[in-house]
Amino acid sequence: MGGTSTATARLRRIVIGFVAVLAGTGPALAQDDAGFQAYMMTLRQQALADGVSTRTADAVFPGLTLNQRVIDLDRQQPGATSSSAIPAFAPYRAQHVDAARIARGRQTYQAQRSRLQRIEQTTGVPESIMVAIWGHETNYGSYTGNFDLLRSLASLAYEGRRRSLFAGEFIAGLKMLDRGVTRDQLKGSWAGATGNPQFLPSIYLRLARDGDGDGRADIWNSPADTLASIGNYFVDAGWRAGQPWGVAVNVPAGFDRSQVRNRLVSPRCPRVFERHSGWRTIAEWRALGISPQGRSLPADSVMATLLEPDGQGATAYLLTSNYRVILDYNCSNFYALSVGLLADAVER
């Protein structure tokens, strides 16, 4: 018995040492199944130490295999410091705020009106914004992704480029199982987002809500839970009731943009925020000759930034702090603008 214990301990030290080598070499390491399974031993211990039940760990870990496809997809993503030219917004808008998505959004808006009204009364988040997020993320639930979430997250954690993020999301996914979410429900995008609102597991644990009173937060099948969860996300991110996300505006010819340049560097998504001007009140923007297209401007005291996504001479936008809340959902100007514009079209 003693010899067996000594041999087991020696094997464990060898495996731990091998995993340490894996962690140190990062994404340059060849992605092989043996290395993945060795890392799974460490990830299992992390999960158990973080409160995941042994029952769930025993059910999940033996069946996990490496998914090279999700690693390849992750490596194809543009870097945060990419110097490539930013494309025009107009083609993106045409694809994401199209007639079909608007029509289906209006149908969803009408069908869910009683639920939406209750959620808006509770959260202050406009009904149309919740519908637009649902429409933008999964086309109102028509496609939520079919990747095995836990396999994807485990593979991305093993790859190592963003190990802390994906290991944490993987463990959060295991905790979802402990809460009663089924393994079959844990399907979604290759990057780990799931359900109608495409929540990461950690967001589900923190912000998903039961909107229909059945005791579960079913963001896969329940429209009430989906919308309540989106509304709760926006409240948590700081949505200000009664304030629009932004307004399309005209910028006068000869406008001196140097006088409103943003001189701050954002610690998050700097390439997104560097396109915005500095903050000014609506009264100050009005005094500078900025005029609305269609909708009226918010109250003079509201703070806003200016964004010209298609450059000078094209439609520009004055954006309030609520626009930053949409960016919290997905830090992309094109995404946030399209959500706002889809919301405006849905409620017309």
Side-chain angles (χ1 to χ4, degrees):
M1 291 292 289
T4 301
S5 298
T6 301
T8 301
R10 185 180 299 114
L11 177 60
R12 185 177 292 112
R13 286 196 297 271
I14 291 171
V15 170
I16 291 173
F18 180 53
V19 170
V21 171
L22 290 178
T25 54
L29 180 72
Q31 309 299 323
D32 59 88
D33 289 332
F36 175 80
Q37 293 301 332
Y39 174 63
M40 287 303 98
M41 294 177 63
T42 292
L43 193 55
R44 175 189 169 95
Q45 293 306 312
Q46 291 176 356
L48 293 173
D50 203 26
V52 172
S53 71
T54 302
R55 182 192 72 255
T56 291
D58 288 345
V60 172
F61 278 96
L64 288 176
T65 57
L66 180 67
N67 188 338
Q68 184 63 42
R69 174 62 176 155
V70 301
I71 293 172
D72 295 340
L73 288 169
D74 186 52
R75 289 176 174 174
Q76 291 169 14
Q77 297 303 296
T81 57
S82 172
S83 59
S84 59
I86 298 173
F89 171 56
Y92 183 98
R93 174 178 178 171
Q95 181 179 357
H96 292 83
V97 193
D98 57 295
R101 199 178 304 251
I102 292 170
R104 192 164 182 185
R106 288 173 177 166
Q107 292 171 359
T108 303
Y109 181 71
Q110 293 302 324
Q112 302 297 328
R113 203 65 205 282
S114 60
R115 289 172 176 149
L116 287 164
Q117 288 174 338
R118 287 197 300 272
I119 298 169
E120 180 171 350
Q121 288 170 1
T122 302
T123 64
V125 180
E127 303 169 42
S128 58
I129 287 287
M130 291 182 276
V131 171
I133 288 289
W134 190 5
H136 222 61
E137 290 294 329
T138 58
N139 199 13
Y140 313 103
S142 63
Y143 183 74
T144 57
N146 57 11
F147 282 87
D148 179 331
L149 228 63
L150 294 179
R151 185 185 180 210
S152 294
L153 290 168
S155 298
L156 292 167
Y158 168 63
E159 189 269 352
R161 190 163 67 97
R162 291 182 285 171
R163 175 163 292 174
S164 177
L165 167 66
F166 289 119
E169 293 299 338
F170 174 83
I171 292 172
L174 296 179
K175 291 180 178 180
M176 289 173 69
L177 296 179
D178 277 340
R179 282 196 184 183
V181 175
T182 67
R183 188 75 167 85
D184 288 342
Q185 285 178 310
L186 287 184
K187 299 287 194 298
S189 75
W190 63 264
T194 188
N196 289 312
Q198 290 291 278
F199 279 0
L200 289 171
S202 63
I203 298 300
Y204 175 89
L205 292 176
R206 192 165 63 87
L207 298 175
R209 289 295 180 266
D210 172 17
D212 54 19
D214 67 354
R216 298 177 299 139
D218 184 356
I219 61 172
W220 300 271
N221 303 298
S222 169
D225 293 1
T226 294
L227 295 167
S229 298
I230 293 172
N232 191 50
Y233 184 103
F234 272 60
V235 170
D236 183 77
W239 186 272
R240 295 185 179 182
Q243 192 174 106
W245 64 271
V247 179
V249 296
N250 298 309
V251 178
F255 182 75
D256 183 4
R257 290 162 181 81
S258 66
Q259 64 183 321
V260 297
R261 182 177 297 122
N262 179 16
R263 304 185 187 281
L264 302 176
V265 178
S266 172
R268 177 174 178 265
C269 308
R271 198 170 188 226
V272 170
F273 289 105
E274 72 183 5
R275 302 190 69 195
H276 295 215
S277 74
W279 291 96
R280 298 288 188 278
T281 66
I282 292 296
E284 289 174 313
W285 287 117
R286 198 191 307 276
L288 290 170
I290 304 297
S291 60
Q293 291 184 7
R295 295 194 171 197
S296 60
L297 294 174
D300 280 354
S301 60
V302 171
M303 301 291 292
T305 61
L306 179 69
L307 174 65
E308 297 177 274
D310 286 324
Q312 298 181 23
T315 296
Y317 299 88
L318 285 181
L319 307 169
T320 73
S321 63
N322 281 342
Y323 178 84
R324 304 294 175 104
V325 175
I326 305 175
L327 285 176
D328 190 82
Y329 209 99
N330 185 331
C331 201
S332 158
N333 281 313
F334 285 9
Y335 175 91
L337 285 171
S338 293
V339 166
L341 291 168
L342 179 59
D344 289 350
V346 161
E347 70 179 6
R348 287 197 184 107

